[in-house]
Amino acid sequence: DTEVTQTPKHLVMGMTNKKSLKCEQHMGHRAMYWYKQKAKKPPELMFVYSYEKLSINESVPSRFSPECPNSSLLNLHLHALQPEDSALYLCASSDPGYNQPQHFGDGTRLSIL
Amino acid sequence: GESVGLHLPTLSVQEGDNSIINCAYSNSASDYFIWYKQESGKGPQFIIDIRSNMDKRQGQRVTVLLNKTVKHLSLQIAATQPGDSAVYFCAETFTGGGNKLTFGTGTQLKVEL
């Protein structure tokens, strides 16, 4: 079982909806990440939080809004998404120092109608 | 069996044989490398990592080899089992890179009984 828990596992939403993806870890990690993965492709980094502060935004469209309420939680708020945003959204966590392995959750499968 | 990454994205091996999955990286500044296993419907699972001050690292049934001269990484799986069937990704990062992981394109490993 993964130590990074993501909810929901599946989400279907219309282009005008607002929804949120949630991620929780209890490994004491102080760095958390959001990735997007399309079918048969590698994960692509979206955001990095370090000590609850946004440290990297990979030029992600503003319809994706991350939030890190505390050291264990990471949210991704979604609004006015496009069909091409349909993908698997993965959360990961790690110790914040250099060269630390990232541990992934099983993702949220998002479908935009 | 042996894959060459981009040109052979699928590697088929017989159960009990050894598998070799290859990965070429492009950033000469990369100094930390990770292999992940991703099974269908799940997130990437950490297998083994290696730092650039090492050429070889062994785990349980897995060995990672790093050749910095030609920027090449390989994952060897001994006595491949049906449960090893998955997509394998290499990932790289570098000190000062903000823990930003860059993933390779992935190799599908299929274990035939």
Side-chain angles (χ1 to χ4, degrees):
Chain A
D1 288 339
T2 180
E3 295 179 85
V4 178
T5 303
Q6 291 188 244
T7 56
K9 293 190 184 301
H10 303 276
L11 179 61
V12 179
M13 58 186 288
M15 288 188 284
T16 58
N17 292 157
K18 286 185 180 181
K19 296 285 185 183
S20 296
L21 308 185
K22 297 186 181 301
C23 175
E24 186 170 9
Q25 58 90 12
H26 293 290
M27 294 181 281
H29 291 161
R30 300 302 297 276
M32 297 186 75
Y33 312 79
W34 281 115
Y35 288 82
K36 174 182 178 180
Q37 186 178 28
K38 301 285 272 185
K40 300 190 186 301
K41 296 290 186 182
E44 296 179 341
L45 183 67
M46 300 174 71
F47 303 103
V48 179
Y49 273 83
S50 182
Y51 294 100
E52 295 86 68
K53 294 189 187 307
L54 184 64
S55 59
I56 294 178
N57 176 341
E58 289 288 283
S59 302
V60 178
S62 60
R63 58 186 184 267
F64 294 91
S65 176
E67 178 196 19
C68 190
N70 60 54
S71 60
S72 299
L73 294 174
L74 186 66
N75 298 322
L76 186 62
H77 303 298
L78 315 173
H79 176 53
L81 295 195
Q82 304 298 308
E84 60 265 27
D85 297 323
S86 297
L88 180 68
Y89 288 84
L90 293 162
C91 174
S93 71
S94 76
D95 286 324
Y98 295 134
N99 301 341
Q100 299 295 327
Q102 295 178 24
H103 298 272
F104 287 81
D106 286 335
T108 293
R109 177 76 58 189
L110 177 65
S111 299
I112 307 300
L113 300 178
Chain B
E2 183 172 345
S3 81
V4 291
L6 283 174
H7 301 290
L8 283 174
T10 300
L11 174 65
S12 294
V13 298
Q14 294 290 320
E15 182 181 5
D17 286 352
N18 296 334
S19 302
I20 300 174
I21 301 172
N22 295 301
C23 177
Y25 64 95
S26 57
N27 187 354
S28 56
S30 291
D31 57 6
Y32 180 58
F33 305 87
I34 307 174
W35 279 101
Y36 286 96
K37 171 187 180 183
Q38 188 172 23
E39 297 176 89
S40 180
K42 293 191 176 291
Q45 176 187 359
F46 172 87
I47 302 173
I48 192 168
D49 59 0
I50 188 167
R51 290 172 171 75
S52 59
N53 61 351
M54 303 174 70
D55 297 324
K56 178 180 179 179
R57 190 162 188 228
Q58 289 183 290
Q60 186 177 11
R61 280 202 307 121
V62 295
T63 300
V64 55
L65 299 178
L66 175 62
N67 186 329
K68 296 180 286 295
T69 302
V70 296
K71 297 201 284 287
H72 183 268
L73 193 67
S74 69
L75 177 70
Q76 301 178 2
I77 304 174
T80 312
Q81 302 170 359
D84 295 327
S85 294
V87 177
Y88 289 80
F89 291 103
C90 65
E92 60 181 295
T93 187
F94 59 95
T95 301
N99 287 345
K100 178 181 173 180
L101 273 182
T102 300
F103 283 79
T105 54
T107 297
Q108 172 82 55
L109 176 64
K110 293 185 177 180
V111 181
E112 299 170 348
L113 302 178

